[in-house]
Amino acid sequence: MAKVVAKTEPINIPLSQLVVGMTVKLPLSWFNNPFFRNKVLISSQAEIELINSLGINYVTVIDGQHLFVEPVISQPVVAAEVAPAFDINAIIKKSVNTSRVRFSKACSNLRPAYSKVISDPPVSHREAVTVVELLLTHLHETKQPQIGLVNCADKEINMAQHGISVAVLSILMGHSLELAPAQMRDLALGCVFHDIGKLKIPDAIRRKRIDLTSHERNYIKTHPNIGYEMLDRSGLFPKAILDIVLHHHEYIDDSGYPNKLTKNHIPLLTQIVILANDYTVLLESTGSAQLALGTLFKSRADKHDKALISILVKTLGVFPPGSIVKLSDGSIAKVMMTSTASKQPHVVSCSAHGTQASFRCLIDEGVTIVETVKLEDLSKKLANLLEVHAPVCFYVCHIND
């Protein structure tokens, strides 16, 4: 006679008896499974199939025993495979570091796409598509993708780094809008090539930050047309991508360039890239996530669709990655990753004296952000510890809170 098991008693079962709705614990270390943590609420048949592919013979049912179709005979526990305690802060750190590695690889893989855009367009196109497909794969690793901060070692953000950051913001906005897969691919590919025309602008002008002459400003403003012609000549890029490259500096109030378009003449995908690009340019020029977002609201709100601005804010959170903030426990922190709670992102924090730097999950701790902190108000030690002057880029991040 089969043993009747109490609903609250954890039991071990073979994988053949997994059912959607169960909460199970995997006999694996968290870094050896794709769920980021050992306790998993099974929400789909696809997740059951994924568990079946992990090379394990059993799982421990924590909750959902009442879903069994038949009484279950408990299986022996293999004591040697007991999983370590779940450490959310270690997982946040691992997730951010993974995003940094992926970002660096994506930027490196874009170099041949840029260098061969004229000499060998098919190779350029293929390399860029490979980067985009991998980026979209990373986006869909979990149901709730987040934005992770990537601190750049370079003093200035290069074209590849800027392109990937704009792509990350754009596809996360596209994800919120539930765009079709083909639209997401066009969106991302348009992003990585949106500034390609700048390759034809002399470095002496392109890298100049102050005192541009009117001639130099007008020269820089030709890069959308140049980029469009470079890609259109290859015959490899669809209209949606070409439109992004040509019109990523337009605004809905007809104040942009090169064609002074209004909202009705700017496609949705292009509007998304315009907004994501505007935010990243403001971030690069101000060096402050909060100041960039504030500028977008105060002086540029009429240049973008209000609904898209709302989606961008939802994507970035109230305190975007890169924000320097004061916590309710008195610590000073840098926002490293968005979370499911827009006012409680994942951070690296240290004491006000510049010690004890560590990754923290504010949701789990019940700690909140009190206010943003101006960079000039930080001590040199704090500023160096939190790397507040490092240029900010973005990549997709994942975690199960």
Side-chain angles (χ1 to χ4, degrees):
M1 182 176 178
K3 178 182 177 182
V4 178
V5 182
K7 290 183 179 180
T8 56
E9 181 183 350
I11 57 173
N12 301 320
I13 65 168
L15 304 190
S16 60
Q17 294 186 335
L18 285 173
V19 178
V20 173
M22 289 179 177
T23 299
V24 301
K25 185 176 182 180
L26 306 178
L28 293 170
S29 298
W30 63 267
F31 46 81
N32 286 330
N33 75 70
F35 294 97
F36 287 101
R37 61 192 303 174
N38 298 94
K39 186 178 178 182
V40 179
L41 171 60
I42 300 174
S43 60
S44 67
Q45 186 62 36
E47 290 180 345
I48 292 177
E49 293 174 3
L50 183 57
I51 292 173
N52 272 281
S53 71
L54 297 178
I56 57 178
N57 298 318
Y58 74 95
V59 295
T60 302
V61 180
I62 306 300
D63 188 28
Q65 289 89 338
H66 61 286
L67 297 172
F68 291 129
V69 177
E70 303 175 350
V72 177
I73 300 175
S74 181
Q75 303 293 318
V77 177
V78 181
E81 295 188 25
V82 175
F86 176 68
D87 184 348
I88 183 64
N89 295 332
I91 291 176
I92 293 170
K93 181 177 181 179
K94 179 177 183 289
S95 182
V96 170
N97 287 339
T98 296
S99 294
R100 287 173 175 170
V101 171
R102 289 174 169 180
F103 175 85
S104 179
K105 184 176 181 180
C107 293
S108 178
N109 290 343
L110 274 181
R111 290 173 187 163
Y114 292 161
S115 64
K116 295 182 180 297
V117 68
I118 295 177
S119 63
D120 197 342
V123 170
S124 173
H125 180 266
R126 184 173 65 248
E127 294 293 338
V129 167
T130 299
V131 170
V132 163
E133 291 296 341
L134 191 56
L135 174 57
L136 292 174
T137 297
H138 293 158
L139 174 73
H140 294 295
E141 283 180 338
T142 61
K143 294 178 180 178
Q144 292 184 308
Q146 305 293 339
I147 298 180
L149 172 72
V150 178
N151 281 336
C152 292
D154 304 324
K155 290 183 179 181
E156 291 187 4
I157 293 173
N158 62 40
M159 186 184 298
Q161 293 166 339
H162 173 69
I164 293 295
S165 289
V166 173
V168 167
L169 290 181
S170 296
I171 64 172
L172 279 162
M173 293 172 66
H175 182 73
S176 295
L177 289 167
E178 299 182 348
L179 296 182
Q183 291 177 297
M184 293 289 277
R185 284 191 291 272
D186 287 348
L187 183 63
L189 199 56
C191 287
V192 299
F193 277 117
H194 78 277
D195 270 341
I196 193 68
K198 286 185 176 180
L199 291 179
K200 292 292 186 178
I201 305 296
D203 282 352
I205 296 176
R206 180 158 55 93
R207 298 183 182 280
K208 195 173 180 181
R209 291 291 174 262
I210 57 174
D211 299 328
L212 284 169
T213 66
S214 60
H215 173 73
E216 289 170 336
R217 281 193 295 271
N218 289 334
Y219 197 173
I220 288 177
K221 285 184 177 182
T222 64
H223 79 268
N225 302 79
I226 295 172
Y228 173 87
E229 292 169 3
M230 290 166 70
L231 299 191
D232 186 43
R233 191 182 306 133
S234 73
L236 296 170
F237 296 89
K239 181 179 178 181
I241 294 174
L242 294 175
D243 193 90
I244 288 171
V245 174
L246 180 60
H247 293 133
H248 66 275
H249 280 293
E250 300 285 358
Y251 295 116
I252 64 172
D253 65 352
D254 81 4
S255 65
Y257 64 89
N259 299 122
K260 295 187 177 296
L261 300 180
T262 54
K263 180 178 178 179
N264 292 338
H265 295 93
I266 307 175
L268 174 61
L269 298 191
T270 303
Q271 287 192 48
I272 292 171
V273 179
I274 290 169
L275 178 56
N277 182 61
D278 205 16
Y279 174 75
T280 55
V281 169
L282 286 169
L283 180 57
E284 291 167 21
S285 62
T286 64
S288 166
Q290 284 293 315
L291 186 55
L293 198 58
T295 301
L296 199 62
F297 268 109
K298 292 178 182 178
S299 61
R300 305 177 83 85
D302 293 337
K303 298 182 181 296
H304 303 283
D305 181 84
K306 289 188 171 77
L308 287 182
I309 291 178
S310 296
I311 292 173
L312 177 64
V313 173
K314 182 180 178 181
T315 300
L316 290 168
V318 177
F319 303 98
S323 298
I324 306 300
V325 296
K326 182 177 181 179
L327 306 182
S328 55
D329 64 1
S331 300
I332 304 298
K334 184 175 186 176
V335 177
M336 300 301 294
M337 178 181 172
T338 56
S339 75
T340 53
S342 64
K343 294 184 179 181
Q344 289 178 294
H346 303 309
V347 303
V348 163
S349 81
C350 55
S351 70
H353 301 293
T355 58
Q356 302 172 351
S358 60
F359 282 83
R360 295 173 63 182
C361 176
L362 301 187
I363 298 174
D364 275 18
E365 295 182 23
V367 174
T368 59
I369 293 176
V370 177
E371 61 184 358
T372 57
V373 178
K374 294 181 180 179
L375 301 187
E376 57 266 29
D377 292 338
L378 294 174
S379 67
K380 185 176 180 180
K381 184 177 181 180
L382 266 176
N384 290 336
L385 190 63
L386 294 176
E387 298 181 301
V388 300
H389 297 297
V392 171
C393 290
F394 305 112
Y395 203 78
V396 180
C397 251
H398 295 278
I399 197 166
N400 288 339
D401 290 326

